[in-house]
Amino acid sequence: VQLQASGGGLVQAGGSLRLSCTASGYIFSTYVMGWFRQAPGKEREFVAAISWSGGRIDYLDSVKGRFTISRDNAKNTVYLQMNNAKPEDTAVYYCAANPTGWDNNRGSYGYKYWGQGTEVTVSS
């Protein structure tokens, strides 16, 4: 099982980035997919999650209205569109796969597989 995240980089405040995460080695379409982030000196936190069908979506309050999570099950890929980025969004972003269901979508303990992380830096 492998999750490959990409799309991170340096962006100015107010700018946009699109993160991608492509999965292989398991039935992608049956898993809840999530994005987490970890800023320097801070604990990892939940950012967004999407159900297997895309019918359920959840966001960290501070990213609502700015970030959009989506998935393409035909491509085994989940995306995180980051708009109006803020310096406080600076972190390493991780995608993760959750086989336990939607009820555990915010807890990292529910996620079985993790990508390697992609770094996002938002300059002010």
Side-chain angles (χ1 to χ4, degrees), residues 43-118:
E43 294 187 353
R44 184 168 54 190
E45 67 174 351
F46 166 81
V47 175
I50 186 168
S51 63
W52 67 270
S53 68
R56 288 184 170 185
I57 289 176
D58 190 20
Y59 295 103
L60 178 70
D61 283 349
S62 62
V63 308
K64 283 182 181 177
R66 301 188 297 117
F67 290 10
T68 302
I69 188 172
S70 61
R71 67 190 296 164
D72 185 338
N73 288 340
K75 295 182 178 179
N76 286 358
T77 301
V78 61
Y79 305 97
L80 186 69
Q81 177 68 43
M82 304 170 58
N83 296 332
N84 189 21
K86 299 179 179 181
E88 52 263 42
D89 295 323
T90 295
V92 177
Y93 283 72
Y94 299 89
C95 60
N98 178 355
T100 65
W102 186 251
D103 288 346
N104 295 321
N105 79 84
R106 287 197 170 214
S108 60
Y109 55 86
Y111 289 78
K112 183 176 183 180
Y113 305 120
W114 291 82
Q116 84 286 5
T118 185

